[in-house]
Amino acid sequence: PDDPAAAAAAERADEEADEEARKRLAEEEERRMEEERIAAQEREEQERLERLAALQAKARAREEEQKKHEEEAEEKKRQQQAILGKGKGAGARPKLSFGFGAKK
């Protein structure tokens, strides 16, 4: 303690230890911030994927609804053609004629 060289060496050692501790803390803080940034990116990506899945489901539902309407319209058209005796749709029935002039 009375030796100035020893006191200076001890002070330098303390300063070096403090500097090392500061470096470690700064590195740990940097790592923590990077981990938080990555976690935030992962959350954003997950949210984006969830929004995309919701949009795809909505589009599929819309397509199914449109297909259903088209099929209903087609069925209605077939029924009308069958009633009128026109067309060759699945619901159409052939015209039957009886009596004179019937084709044989």
Side-chain angles (χ1 to χ4, degrees):
D2 292 336
D3 183 4
E11 189 173 330
R12 275 195 308 278
D14 284 347
E15 288 172 1
E16 288 173 6
D18 288 347
E19 183 62 28
E20 281 299 313
R22 279 193 292 277
K23 282 182 185 177
R24 278 194 306 276
L25 285 174
E27 289 170 357
E28 288 173 14
E29 179 68 12
E30 194 173 315
R31 269 194 302 274
R32 186 186 61 76
M33 289 175 66
E34 180 67 11
E35 288 170 0
E36 286 178 5
R37 187 183 65 76
I38 290 170
Q41 283 180 335
E42 289 172 350
R43 280 191 304 275
E44 289 171 7
E45 180 68 10
Q46 183 64 35
E47 290 170 1
R48 190 183 69 78
L49 290 173
E50 288 171 2
R51 284 192 305 273
L52 179 61
L55 287 172
Q56 289 173 334
K58 200 174 189 180
R60 275 193 304 277
R62 217 178 5 252
E63 287 172 7
E64 289 172 9
E65 187 68 21
Q66 182 177 355
K67 185 178 177 185
K68 178 181 167 189
H69 286 303
E70 289 171 359
E71 289 172 353
E72 289 172 353
E74 189 63 33
E75 180 61 27
K76 188 174 183 180
K77 183 178 175 183
R78 277 195 298 270
Q79 289 173 355
Q80 287 175 344
Q81 287 176 343
I83 291 169
L84 297 173
K86 297 178 183 176
K88 304 280 188 205
R93 285 182 265 156
K95 266 186 140 178
L96 301 175
S97 61
F98 298 96
F100 300 104
K103 295 180 182 177
K104 294 184 179 182

